[in-house]
Amino acid sequence: RSACGRFASRAQFEELPMSIKAEHNDVCPYILTQDAKLLAKFLTAVFGASELMKWSRPGGTGTHITLKIGDSS
């Protein structure tokens, strides 16, 4: 087995058709942090991010925020 998982060679892996969803353009990181609200403020100030969605549990814990930077979200 190779580092590419079930493929015998990297060439076999690279021959696969790759697709990117229309709403997922350049980079789509998923970041885990202790303070999502603070990270969102930082990304907004530095990269001009805009908030698409925010969800928090009662009391403000367990926050999930989806941001858009440029044409990536």
Side-chain angles (χ1 to χ4, degrees):
R1 287 188 96 149
S2 70
C4 299
R6 64 182 183 173
F7 303 99
S9 70
R10 182 163 186 85
Q12 279 184 330
F13 175 75
E14 290 174 349
E15 289 173 6
L16 291 174
M18 299 294 169
S19 64
I20 299 174
K21 293 180 182 179
E23 69 272 16
H24 291 224
N25 296 324
D26 305 314
V27 177
C28 302
Y30 192 92
I31 302 170
L32 299 176
T33 179
Q34 293 290 324
D35 193 337
K37 293 174 188 173
L38 182 61
L39 178 60
K41 285 181 186 179
F42 171 78
L43 295 172
T44 299
V46 174
F47 297 108
S50 57
E51 186 177 295
L52 299 178
M53 190 274 300
K54 179 166 54 176
W55 173 89
S56 295
R57 290 186 207 167
T61 63
T63 301
H64 173 91
I65 302 173
T66 301
L67 299 171
K68 181 173 185 163
I69 299 174
D71 65 352
S72 296
S73 60

